[in-house]
């Protein structure tokens, strides 16, 4: 599999996964967070709000994946946001301790997948020999 195909596949998977996770949180609120079903109305409201934001993040991955070539700048920004989420988890770990085990698994995924996206970011642009310094040529698929 070429790097360009890997980038496209991972970007599409990321988009759909983030959309599904976000909508899951919008629909279920606190029940979507392992061990936090009774966290109260404030946390429920916050979780549903961030679920909607995460769904939008997923849509942005899908938008990028539908361009040809996939814009490297967009992939780098989206990967940076994903990495920032992992940093947030590490700050939480330092400030308040260990979360539920599944949250740690998610942190590992975020710390592992972010560098992969940075590495693959310009794979399709390079494969199509498109200059990365300017406006990318996009198509709507």
């Amino acid at each position: 599999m070429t790097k360009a195909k890997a980038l496209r596949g991972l970007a599409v998977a990321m988009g759909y996964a983030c959309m599904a996770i976000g909508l899951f949180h919008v629909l279920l609120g606190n029940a979507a967070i392992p061990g936090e079903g009774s966290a109260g109305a404030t946390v429920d409201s916050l979780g549903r709000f961030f679920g909607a934001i995460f769904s939008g993040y997923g849509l942005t991955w899908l938008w990028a994946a539908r361009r040809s070539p996939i814009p490297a700048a967009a992939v780098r920004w989206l990967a940076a946001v994903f990495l920032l989420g992992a940093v947030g988890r590490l700050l939480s770990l330092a400030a308040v301790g260990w979360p539920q085990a599944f949250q740690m698994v998610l942190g590992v995924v975020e710390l592992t997948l972010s560098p992969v996206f940075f590495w693959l970011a310009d794979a399709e642009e390079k494969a199509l020999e498109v200059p990365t310094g300017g406006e990318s040529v996009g198509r709507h698929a």
Side-chain angles (χ1 to χ4, degrees), residues 82-137:
F82 201 52
L83 183 59
L84 185 59
V87 170
R89 289 188 195 276
L90 293 173
L91 290 172
S92 177
L93 177 65
V96 293
W98 293 93
Q100 194 269 350
F102 185 63
Q103 301 298 312
M104 293 304 300
V105 170
L106 293 174
V108 170
V109 168
E110 293 155 2
L111 286 169
T112 304
L113 200 50
S114 296
V116 171
F117 276 115
F118 283 116
W119 176 62
L120 293 173
D122 62 357
E124 198 170 82
E125 288 181 349
K126 282 183 176 178
L128 297 174
E129 299 180 356
V130 174
T132 58
E135 195 74 24
S136 68
V137 177

Side-chain angles (χ1 to χ4, degrees), residues 8 15 18 23 37 40 47 59-60 66 72 81-83 86 95 101 111 113 133:
R8 186 166 300 279
C18 292
L23 291 174
L59 284 171
T60 306
R66 291 176 56 114
V81 169
F82 201 52
L83 183 59
L111 286 169
L113 200 50

Side-chain angles (χ1 to χ4, degrees), residues 5 9 16 39 111:
K5 285 184 181 182
Y16 282 120
L111 286 169

Side-chain angles (χ1 to χ4, degrees), residues 18-35:
C18 292
M19 278 184 51
I21 292 166
L23 291 174
F24 183 68
H25 281 268
V26 169
L27 296 173
L28 296 181
N30 286 343
I33 305 169

